[in-house]
Amino acid sequence: MVGWPLGPYSVSQRDRLVEYRMTKPEILAPAGNMFKLQTAVRYGADAVYLAGRRFGLRQAADNFTIEQIHQAVAFAHENGTRVYVVLNGFLFDEELEDLPPFLAELESAGVDAVIVSDLGVLTTVRRHSNLRVHLSTQASALNSHAARFWRDMGVTRLVLGREVSIAEAAIIKREAGVEVELFGHGAMCMAFSGNCTISNYTAGRDSNRGGCIQSCRFKYRLSDERGGAGPQDHYLSSKDLQGIAQVPSFVEAGIDSLKIEGRMKSPLYVATTVRAYARARDAAWQRQADFGVEDLFRELNTMSHRDYTSGNLVDKARSDSIYLHDERHEPNSHDVIGHILEATENHLAIHLRNPLETGDRLEMLVPGQDIRVLATDTLKDLTGQRVQRVSSNRVVLLPADSIARAGFLLRKPKSKIDAQKDDISHDTDDAALIQHHRAHAG
Amino acid sequence: MTRTTRPSFSITGRTQADLRQGWELDGVTEVLLEHTDLARIGNLDTNQVRQSAAEARNRGLKTVLVWDLLLSDREIADGGALIRSLDLSHFDAIRVQDPGVATYVRDAFPMMERQLVLETGNHNLVGIRRWIEAFEPKRIVLSNELPMPLIRSIREALDANDHTVTLEYLALGRLLIFYTPRKLISPVEPETDEWAFIERFATSVDEGKHFPLVENTQGTFMFYEKDLFLVPYLEEIAAAGIDVARFDLKHFEADELIPALESYLREPSAEHLGRLKSHLAPRLTRGFFKSNRTDKQFVKLKNQHLVVPEQAQLVGTVVETRKKKYLALMTELPFGQNDLLEFIAPEGHVAKARVEWIRDVTGNEHDRAESTGLWMVNHVGKVSAGSRVYRLRES
Ligand code: SF4
């Protein structure tokens, strides 16, 4: 074994891990709507998670009708991708009564598992269906005793709490004999999942039923007394999780699934993260010593995000995991341009989310391959007229490209410096973060 | 089962002196002992826990060791070792929340009575029953998000099944609304000791709400700005089937609060009520004691015009409009000439129109758009980019 380092755990833990068989973790992607699901599948997700109209946590996501769940499963299965449906709200009894018909629909659609956090929901699922059940991170399962309990309740996989390290997850898997899933990327609750009810009390919206107003992202003033003076900052806000450097450890530790957060995030986010993590996972699986972590870092920085942290993946999250920033997000190096609606031998039809001009550097994300730059010398509108500039929410026609396929995502560097792709150097934060990851990885 | 007019009381306190004062209150039958290394917000060391347990026992009170942390395997092992060193004969029960800790306690200390905290979620009887079957606790601590009518139905259902489990509900104290293992105060106050017990208020800058905040060795805890105050409703709480009301006194000046509480419990006059309230936060809440309507507003989160109705036949989405010339549709279902389509714009405008012509992007005419993809059709007024397109069933 190459010996990908798992971080600073004890020798005895390390010895126990050696007993593990390496596992090729599935890349599990968020599917907030049908297009995002298709995007995740195209870019290499092994599994996707989505919600129906009820019983889940992301009430602001588009979510799926029953008909769409059937379509989604058919599309995903045709492409070898599993579909998990989230039922992770904490439900009241009258809602549980409505659950069995929905479960029957999920079974007939052929979904691969449901994700639950509430023991009442779990009991209802087990009573009324043969669906496989995964335990949601909302249940904050943190240890092997809890894992055994949930296993005995009928759970086959635990989405462990974000406080669990990769090494701890490996031990939980071995001790309890269940599959384990860990978040590898995305926004994080600062609180133990399921243990935050700020929105319930301050906004009348149940955060455990999809109503979180993200109060942990607010600015607060700290003081010794109620209403006193004091400094202001985002004391409760967590940086975003980014575990690309830890992917080899996922493989070595036998983690079954690497989950990407973000059913509310954009299709470009889904494409970028799935592509990056699938590449890292494949390289780690093939035991490539250098899997291009710098390039993947750079890829993940093309999107808007809070500062990144490796969270608890290696060791316990410390003070540098707090996002003490005024800005909501770190600036992204690239803007989304849109996606390909149609790729024929005559043209590419692109739906624009941002304006495009002749001569712009247009980057196409290709699943499993390097970024491909498309020619933008000739832009045409849908009537076939040549144009210099096309604004957002319009369709533009480009010359055909042999690699391009419908659904591929497109982006454009924000600055000239970023447009000179080969000359890009990491900014200080990236470099420091990579160094940090390396130190902990080695 | 007949219910007494008031529940019995279980108390916490920050210091031994607070506990001694608290258990003098009429109706107190139980003391919760919160060790710094076992409880979320514990302030008692090993000796103090032992002493308090012995004293409480002598007074005929039930002693409960609180182990309500959410923990890793290593931390559970450490906690288990500490509990053994405390001498379990001092305690009548152990109180846990983490199902892993509950499993560990059930297996490692099978003779100890268990109390299970179900304050996080657990809003349905199906789940509550399952917890009871799995851990056979003698007590369950219900969430303050459960309104009284729901508690009454839970009580009735448990009684009907001969469950002897007692039910507890927080009646006085701070409402914990946020619990993280991360330290959030000491990192930004370099002069503070990261192992200290730190208390602050976090005021939300935009809303001006003042939330009490505590950091200790176990992490950081935030509480609702209003203290939970259900003392005037103790009879209703008992009538709903709650056996034990908890007075969580550890966040208050106990030597002022407890005498005021004692006076009010003895004689619930307006004067005593005023005095009691003066020792609590300026604003008080009944929580969800009367009703819980926390999910009534969710429908407003989404643009309802773009939500696809459950039974609708979504043909596709309008991706471009060119006035008086065409609409470009990205389709998910086939459609044909003369079909009647309904367009719902993101702004809510609804238009119905028949398909007069269909073209592909290269300009070829078609009778039907059979494959899903990009199609152009005749322009329809007031339809904007992003509009959803549905097929209407014709009667
Ligand atoms: S407010 Fe923050 S910590 Fe609480 S549930 Fe929402 S995202 Fe999580």
Side-chain angles (χ1 to χ4, degrees):
Chain A
M1 175 176 289
V2 172
W4 287 101
L6 281 168
Y9 48 83
S10 70
V11 172
S12 63
Q13 283 174 318
R14 194 180 291 262
D15 288 345
R16 295 162 91 181
L17 287 175
V18 173
E19 296 167 22
Y20 261 115
R21 285 184 50 205
M22 283 173 63
T23 301
K24 190 174 181 182
E26 70 177 13
I27 303 299
L28 173 56
N33 60 28
M34 190 65 88
F35 181 57
K36 292 177 197 174
L37 177 137
Q38 291 163 343
T39 301
V41 171
R42 263 180 213 117
Y43 282 91
D46 305 288
V48 292
Y49 60 102
L50 58 86
R53 286 288 160 78
R54 295 179 63 194
F55 313 118
L57 274 193
R58 289 284 172 267
Q59 294 286 338
D62 294 346
N63 294 334
F64 289 68
T65 62
I66 286 168
E67 179 65 28
Q68 287 173 325
I69 292 175
H70 281 264
Q71 290 167 7
V73 174
F75 175 82
H77 284 181
E78 263 166 38
N79 290 281
T81 305
R82 294 176 288 279
V83 176
Y84 309 143
V85 173
V86 291
L87 306 173
N88 58 352
F90 291 162
L91 304 186
F92 287 96
D93 284 297
E94 58 271 22
E95 292 163 306
L96 286 182
E97 286 167 19
D98 296 343
L99 197 49
F102 185 63
L103 297 172
E105 288 288 351
L106 299 184
E107 276 194 297
S108 89
V111 306
D112 297 279
V114 292
I115 307 172
V116 309
S117 53
D118 179 301
L119 188 54
V121 176
L122 170 58
T123 307
T124 307
V125 172
R126 300 276 295 151
R127 266 187 208 149
H128 294 275
S129 79
N130 291 310
L131 289 158
R132 276 170 61 91
V133 185
H134 297 177
L135 185 74
S136 165
T137 195
Q138 285 298 109
S140 270
L142 306 173
N143 53 69
S144 55
H145 304 280
R148 280 202 302 273
F149 165 75
W150 289 111
R151 178 201 63 198
D152 293 347
M153 293 291 114
V155 164
T156 56
R157 177 188 290 184
L158 281 91
V159 188
L160 295 166
R162 288 182 176 88
E163 294 73 21
V164 176
S165 70
I166 296 170
E168 288 170 336
I171 292 168
I172 290 171
K173 174 176 174 171
R174 195 191 72 161
E175 297 291 323
V178 286
E179 291 179 13
V180 291
E181 178 177 313
L182 277 180
F183 276 93
H185 190 96
M188 286 202 285
C189 270
M190 179 61 93
F192 279 117
S193 288
N195 283 265
C196 174
T197 51
I198 305 178
S199 306
N200 305 43
Y201 286 97
T202 61
R205 289 185 8 190
D206 191 339
S207 42
N208 292 315
R209 291 153 58 77
C212 167
I213 58 163
Q214 304 229 311
S215 313
C216 63
R217 310 296 183 193
F218 294 178
K219 193 182 238 187
Y220 292 90
R221 193 170 67 237
L222 272 192
S223 79
D224 289 339
E225 53 189 7
R226 192 182 294 271
Q232 301 180 3
D233 219 320
H234 299 262
Y235 301 108
L236 308 183
S237 182
S238 177
K239 290 180 181 175
D240 285 351
L241 177 65
Q242 197 258 61
I244 201 81
Q246 282 71 41
V247 172
S249 300
F250 274 75
V251 173
E252 190 192 346
I255 307 304
D256 297 283
S257 178
L258 186 158
K259 185 170 201 162
I260 296 166
E261 177 275 346
R263 277 188 287 135
M264 305 282 289
K265 303 258 174 72
S266 69
L268 184 62
Y269 167 93
V270 173
T272 306
T273 51
V274 169
R275 189 171 159 275
Y277 282 88
R279 284 192 124 189
R281 186 271 318 269
D282 291 344
W285 182 243
Q286 290 156 12
R287 303 183 186 187
Q288 292 172 11
D290 180 6
F291 67 100
V293 68
E294 284 89 352
D295 285 344
L296 297 177
F297 256 100
R298 191 159 43 198
E299 273 303 294
L300 296 171
N301 276 342
T302 60
M303 306 172 296
S304 165
H305 60 90
R306 298 179 191 93
D307 285 353
Y308 286 134
T309 170
S310 58
N312 297 281
L313 291 176
V314 178
D315 50 18
K316 293 299 163 203
R318 300 188 195 289
S319 55
D320 60 3
S321 66
I322 308 170
Y323 185 61
L324 293 169
H325 279 229
D326 243 350
E327 303 81 25
R328 249 180 92 80
H329 286 104
E330 291 301 289
N332 40 319
S333 66
H334 288 60
D335 283 328
V336 63
I337 283 298
H339 68 277
I340 299 176
L341 293 172
E342 188 172 88
T344 71
E345 48 194 26
N346 301 317
H347 64 253
L348 301 179
I350 296 167
H351 187 216
L352 295 180
R353 292 280 166 210
N354 272 309
L356 183 70
E357 286 181 36
T358 312
D360 277 349
R361 180 187 167 92
L362 184 58
E363 297 181 355
M364 177 170 72
L365 276 74
V366 184
Q369 293 182 31
D370 290 337
I371 297 294
R372 184 173 172 89
V373 178
L374 295 178
T376 56
D377 314 339
T378 317
L379 308 184
K380 289 183 181 170
D381 67 17
L382 274 176
T383 63
Q385 298 293 311
R386 282 186 73 148
V387 283
Q388 282 297 310
R389 183 181 190 278
V390 186
S391 52
S392 55
N393 270 325
R394 303 214 81 91
V395 177
V396 64
L397 300 179
L398 256 62
D401 180 274
S402 59
I403 304 287
R405 298 283 178 274
F408 282 12
L409 272 292
L410 302 158
R411 69 187 188 197
K412 181 173 93 169
K414 285 176 102 161
S415 70
K416 290 229 160 52
I417 300 166
D418 284 329
Q420 293 158 10
K421 184 172 175 254
D422 295 336
D423 299 337
I424 299 171
S425 58
H426 301 296
D427 60 29
T428 329
D429 282 354
D430 281 359
L433 192 54
I434 291 169
Q435 217 170 23
H436 169 85
H437 280 295
R438 283 204 168 131
H440 281 88
Chain B
M1 192 182 284
T2 43
R3 302 271 163 217
T4 50
T5 53
R6 273 184 184 173
S8 64
F9 306 134
S10 179
I11 60 155
T12 70
R14 182 175 297 204
T15 65
Q16 282 184 285
D18 295 348
L19 288 174
R20 286 184 193 116
Q21 209 173 351
W23 66 48
E24 293 295 337
L25 281 169
D26 192 27
V28 172
T29 57
E30 182 178 272
V31 183
L32 301 176
L33 297 160
E34 298 180 307
H35 190 288
T36 33
D37 295 334
L38 296 172
R40 294 177 180 191
I41 301 178
N43 289 286
L44 304 176
D45 63 22
T46 297
N47 273 337
Q48 290 167 330
V49 166
R50 280 206 198 108
Q51 275 175 13
S52 299
E55 284 178 44
R57 273 276 181 76
N58 283 340
R59 302 186 67 85
L61 298 169
K62 181 168 184 162
T63 55
V64 181
L65 182 64
V66 177
W67 192 14
D68 58 356
L69 294 166
L70 305 183
L71 296 172
S72 68
D73 279 316
R74 188 183 49 75
E75 290 163 333
I76 291 177
D78 291 347
L82 173 60
I83 288 174
R84 282 188 189 87
S85 78
L86 284 174
D87 182 359
L88 281 178
S89 65
H90 287 296
F91 310 104
D92 297 302
I94 299 187
R95 170 170 297 204
V96 295
Q97 173 165 339
D98 185 324
V101 178
T103 304
Y104 176 88
V105 165
R106 184 190 59 196
D107 298 345
F109 312 116
M111 305 311 289
M112 283 299 287
E113 181 179 316
R114 289 177 290 281
Q115 298 189 346
L116 188 62
V117 180
L118 299 181
E119 286 185 313
T120 311
N122 296 299
H123 297 159
N124 56 72
L125 181 61
V126 179
I128 288 171
R129 273 209 184 116
R130 200 81 185 91
W131 286 115
I132 294 172
E133 283 162 19
F135 291 110
E136 297 177 332
K138 289 275 188 268
R139 164 90 49 83
I140 55 174
V141 183
L142 294 174
S143 164
N144 281 91
E145 290 171 57
L146 300 189
M148 280 301 128
L150 181 53
I151 289 177
R152 194 171 296 116
S153 67
I154 290 170
R155 173 85 266 171
E156 285 165 5
L158 294 178
D159 284 351
N161 285 282
D162 285 337
H163 278 297
T164 53
V165 68
T166 54
L167 303 182
E168 177 182 317
Y169 198 71
L170 177 65
L172 172 64
R174 283 181 178 173
L175 286 159
L176 180 64
I177 56 174
F178 175 93
Y179 166 24
T180 175
R182 296 194 230 177
K183 290 171 181 290
L184 304 183
I185 304 174
S186 55
V188 294
E189 294 186 358
E191 68 283 3
T192 55
D193 172 0
E194 67 164 318
W195 302 109
F197 184 91
I198 308 168
E199 289 182 282
R200 295 286 181 274
F201 281 89
T203 298
S204 54
V205 171
D206 291 339
E207 297 175 305
K209 290 179 175 159
H210 313 300
F211 302 98
L213 205 58
V214 169
E215 180 192 298
N216 62 16
T217 51
Q218 309 302 347
T220 307
F221 304 84
M222 190 160 95
F223 300 87
Y224 187 37
E225 57 161 350
K226 302 176 190 176
D227 289 338
L228 183 76
F229 185 62
L230 295 176
V231 179
Y233 305 99
L234 291 170
E235 285 75 12
E236 277 180 66
I237 288 174
I242 294 290
D243 305 283
V244 181
R246 185 167 83 258
F247 295 157
D248 189 358
L249 304 174
K250 60 180 169 284
H251 301 290
F252 307 107
E253 295 297 336
D255 51 353
E256 293 171 357
L257 179 73
I258 292 171
L261 180 58
E262 197 269 330
S263 306
Y264 180 78
L265 289 173
R266 194 171 18 83
E267 189 198 331
S269 65
E271 185 198 339
H272 287 154
L273 182 64
R275 195 172 135 228
L276 176 55
K277 284 182 170 179
S278 73
H279 298 299
L280 299 168
R283 299 175 72 197
L284 303 174
T285 179
R286 295 184 305 195
F288 298 110
F289 168 69
K290 290 288 182 186
S291 74
N292 186 340
R293 300 173 57 82
T294 48
D295 58 349
K296 292 291 184 255
Q297 305 168 25
F298 291 174
V299 282
K300 293 180 190 159
L301 291 174
K302 286 178 250 188
N303 182 343
Q304 290 300 306
H305 308 306
L306 298 182
V307 173
V308 179
E310 196 58 66
Q311 301 300 332
Q313 292 200 44
L314 179 69
V315 171
T317 304
V318 176
V319 289
E320 180 176 307
T321 67
R322 213 24 91 86
K323 208 168 180 181
K324 297 192 176 161
K325 289 190 172 162
Y326 62 81
L327 301 178
L329 313 182
M330 191 62 194
T331 64
E332 297 178 19
L333 286 178
F335 68 99
Q337 237 176 332
N338 280 327
D339 280 359
L340 183 60
L341 300 182
E342 182 179 61
F343 301 84
I344 302 182
E347 310 79 32
H349 185 81
V350 179
K352 288 177 187 163
R354 280 198 190 276
V355 179
E356 294 168 11
W357 53 262
I358 303 172
R359 281 182 207 139
D360 62 27
V361 174
T362 22
N364 302 314
E365 301 261 348
H366 294 257
D367 292 339
R368 283 188 65 75
E370 205 55 61
S371 60
T372 59
L374 188 58
W375 295 97
M376 292 160 77
V377 297
N378 47 291
H379 184 261
V380 179
K382 295 193 173 170
V383 173
S384 53
S387 298
R388 300 275 198 228
V389 187
Y390 300 97
R391 187 162 41 215
L392 286 178
R393 286 198 185 87
E394 298 192 53
S395 47

